[in-house]
Amino acid sequence: MICGNKTAPEPSAFAATVLDLLADLQVATPKINGYFAATKKEVVGDASAGNTTVYGVAQCIETITESGCRDCMQVANTDIQRCPPNTDGRAMDVGCFLRYSDSPFFADNETVDIAPFLRTPSNSSRRNGIIGGVVGGAALLFLVIALLVWFKRWTTSKDLPIRGDILGATELRGPINYKYKDLSAATNKFSHQNKLGEGGFGEVYKGVLKNEKIVAIKKLTITQSQRAKLDYESEVKLISNVHHRNLIRLLGCCNKGPELLLVYEYMKNSSLDKYIFGERRGSLNWKQRCDIILGTARGLSYLHEEFHVCIIHRDIKSSNILLDDDFQPKIADFGLARLLPQDKSHLSTKFAGTFGQKSHDTTPDPDAFLLKKAWTLYEKNMHQELVEESLDGNEYEAEEVKRMVEIGLMCTQSAAALRPSMSQVVVMLKSRGSTETRPITKPTIIDSAAEASTSTASSASLATLSITQISSR
């Protein structure tokens, strides 16, 4: 549970509205397909104080049952009750998330009509019972939690501090701890035949566990100092609690052997890199490519703005986007950049561009640099020339191509204030028609042969992802 530090102008009226809204979300969310609800409610109070609105969001992971979602929401709602009359509060339990605020943090078109899910004969008494029970037991709950926190601090006072105290705000379930010998056996002692690939963080192997479950096992290349192990344990515990349909699921880890290992769910269709540059190039149709773009944006939006800790990937590229059986994208290696030494802000500072259709970590031919080519075509209103030749022209419309290219260019603008957030990118990708509401400024990276920032250029690759030949940074 995390509470804001600002008190509402009308504390009593605001707190009552928050409790009512949260109770509605607790009842409705488990009944909604997808276990997601976003709603708002006006605060009824002194008119002279101005109109105030409470915005609320509740969500359970999709793999949970309805009863499991209901139980999880009850725990989250109980925790968050201590926040009002503060203007912002959020609570998380294993499997669900709940938040309210007096400031909008979702678009109006993303709200859900929860009224149909509240119409039960006993709803009013049930909701009143929930509120009354929570308020009545708040003092006892606070006392128990205070004792537990005091005991935990007393027993761990001699431990080294974890970087950033990223887990201090909530209790998260840790990953499964695997034995090194079991993971070694699953990969046939990390044989070359089982190697799936390698990247900035280490090599990845296909493994078959004792229960016959197929997994992907990554051997991290970070050092194994005491501080590194503490950061590793903290970060892995955080990442293992990130659940989203467009993010690779971390199943477990191992830090007792000669290497630090991470165990992920296995993706049969491998990485997007093979469909853009490799042996499967040209096999994705237009709809599949658009779904991959949208899914990738949704995953990044969740990491940036929806998870209770902001996670910046720093290394978005086609080889870090994996595809499931239905060719839906799942972002890999998110959060691992936080394990790098703190004096390194990016995985690579080399200028990366495109020689025709493939990315390289060397200075490219200026005329072949993808971003420069995209900008030139944009200025000439020739967006469609950026489409890969293998695509069937009957599968897409020129306006749709134009919209995708414009979104990509909006993400590459030099001034950060001019770039859209990832949640705004998701909305634009789902909308129809042109997205160009204001002039797009020319990215200065086009005119510079100096070292390029990974974070800026990676945004550029997002919208053009799968539609054309993309830059790996």
Side-chain angles (χ1 to χ4, degrees):
M1 179 273 298
I2 305 175
C3 300
N5 55 11
K6 180 182 177 182
T7 303
E10 296 182 84
S12 298
F14 183 82
T17 304
V18 170
L19 293 177
D20 195 36
L21 179 141
L22 294 177
D24 286 347
L25 285 174
Q26 177 181 335
V27 173
T29 304
K31 302 176 183 178
I32 299 175
N33 184 30
Y35 300 139
F36 172 82
T39 189
K40 58 184 180 180
K41 197 176 188 71
E42 295 290 333
V43 176
V44 179
D46 186 359
S48 63
N51 296 326
T52 303
T53 302
V54 179
Y55 302 85
V57 158
Q59 184 174 20
C60 293
I61 60 174
E62 294 190 1
T63 55
I64 204 171
T65 62
E66 181 177 337
S67 61
C69 179
R70 188 182 306 113
D71 294 341
C72 192
M73 290 303 305
Q74 182 175 358
V75 174
N77 195 8
T78 299
D79 290 342
I80 204 173
Q81 300 290 334
R82 286 174 283 159
C83 290
N86 290 351
T87 58
D88 189 273
R90 63 191 75 187
M92 177 182 179
D93 195 55
V94 178
C96 65
F97 176 78
L98 184 62
R99 181 187 177 188
Y100 78 86
S101 177
D102 66 340
S103 300
F105 54 96
F106 52 85
D108 286 339
N109 61 0
E110 293 179 356
T111 57
V112 178
D113 181 13
I114 63 175
F117 303 98
L118 301 174
R119 295 169 184 167
T120 59
S122 60
N123 180 66
S124 177
S125 60
R126 180 182 180 185
R127 186 171 61 206
N128 292 337
I130 291 173
I131 297 175
V134 169
V135 173
L140 177 61
L141 178 64
F142 179 78
L143 177 61
V144 172
I145 292 176
L147 289 173
L148 289 175
V149 170
W150 173 83
F151 179 76
K152 183 176 181 180
R153 289 181 177 176
W154 179 75
T155 55
T156 60
S157 60
K158 295 183 180 181
D159 291 344
L160 291 174
I162 295 176
R163 180 178 65 185
D165 192 27
I166 57 176
L167 298 177
T170 185
E171 290 186 7
L172 301 177
R173 180 183 61 182
I176 298 174
N177 289 310
Y178 290 94
K179 295 181 179 179
Y180 182 83
K181 65 177 182 179
D182 292 337
L183 298 183
S184 178
T187 58
N188 192 21
K189 298 182 178 179
F190 299 99
S191 67
H192 181 74
Q193 290 76 11
N194 286 334
K195 186 174 180 179
L196 297 174
E198 58 184 299
F201 291 104
E203 301 172 329
V204 184
Y205 296 84
K206 179 180 179 180
V208 182
L209 303 178
K210 290 181 179 179
N211 60 2
E212 298 185 354
K213 181 179 180 64
I214 302 177
V215 295
I217 301 173
K218 179 183 287 290
K219 295 171 65 174
L220 295 182
T221 56
I222 63 175
T223 60
Q224 292 206 59
S225 64
Q226 183 65 21
R227 170 54 59 191
K229 282 196 172 185
L230 283 173
D231 289 344
Y232 166 83
E233 293 169 2
S234 175
E235 194 67 26
V236 166
K237 188 174 183 181
L238 174 74
I239 298 172
S240 66
N241 283 276
V242 178
H243 304 296
H244 190 275
R245 70 181 70 182
N246 298 119
L247 301 174
I248 282 290
R249 178 78 182 276
L250 177 64
L251 304 177
C253 63
C254 174
N255 65 349
K256 301 300 183 183
E259 292 100 5
L260 299 178
L261 305 176
L262 296 176
V263 181
Y264 293 96
E265 59 179 328
Y266 175 73
M267 292 291 105
K268 181 179 179 181
N269 283 321
S270 188
S271 71
L272 179 62
D273 185 70
K274 295 184 178 180
Y275 293 85
I276 300 295
F277 306 123
E279 65 273 12
R280 302 180 186 179
R281 180 186 171 194
S283 59
L284 294 175
N285 60 38
W286 175 261
K287 184 181 183 304
Q288 288 174 320
R289 295 170 187 241
C290 289
D291 288 343
I292 290 171
I293 295 170
L294 179 59
T296 303
R298 281 172 168 164
L300 289 174
S301 177
Y302 181 83
L303 291 175
H304 292 182
E305 305 171 46
E306 299 173 46
F307 191 54
H308 74 287
V309 174
C310 178
I311 297 178
I312 305 299
H313 193 291
R314 302 187 189 178
D315 197 26
I316 285 292
K317 55 187 177 183
S318 55
S319 59
N320 275 337
I321 298 173
L322 308 185
L323 304 176
D324 66 12
D325 293 349
D326 298 320
F327 291 94
Q328 292 301 307
K330 289 181 179 285
I331 301 172
D333 280 0
F334 59 88
L336 293 188
R338 294 160 61 109
L339 293 174
L340 290 175
Q342 296 187 18
D343 60 342
K344 294 184 178 180
S345 60
H346 302 96
L347 296 184
S348 172
T349 56
K350 293 181 179 179
F351 184 88
T354 303
F355 280 118
Q357 298 180 3
K358 181 61 178 174
S359 302
H360 294 281
D361 283 335
T362 55
T363 304
D365 176 358
D367 295 329
F369 180 32
L370 176 64
L371 185 54
K372 181 176 181 179
K373 180 179 179 181
W375 179 259
T376 301
L377 293 175
Y378 164 76
E379 290 187 309
K380 296 179 179 179
N381 198 28
M382 298 171 61
H383 305 66
Q384 198 161 343
E385 296 296 318
L386 210 58
V387 177
E388 190 175 53
E389 296 88 345
S390 63
L391 281 171
D392 184 350
N394 296 320
E395 293 183 2
Y396 58 86
E397 298 178 357
E399 282 301 312
E400 194 170 9
V401 173
K402 181 179 180 180
R403 179 166 55 89
M404 292 289 189
V405 175
E406 288 175 357
I407 294 172
L409 291 173
M410 289 173 68
C411 292
T412 68
Q413 297 177 103
S414 301
L418 296 178
R419 303 177 209 149
S421 66
M422 288 313 306
S423 59
Q424 291 173 324
V425 170
V426 171
V427 172
M428 289 188 290
L429 288 172
K430 294 170 65 177
S431 65
R432 297 293 179 183
S434 176
T435 62
E436 194 174 352
T437 58
R438 59 176 180 262
I440 300 175
T441 61
K442 183 179 181 180
T444 56
I445 190 176
I446 292 177
D447 299 320
S448 173
E451 293 182 339
S453 165
T454 301
S455 59
T456 300
S458 64
S459 296
S461 67
L462 172 65
T464 52
L465 190 66
S466 306
I467 297 180
T468 182
Q469 311 85 358
I470 68 170
S471 168
S472 69
R473 291 282 187 263

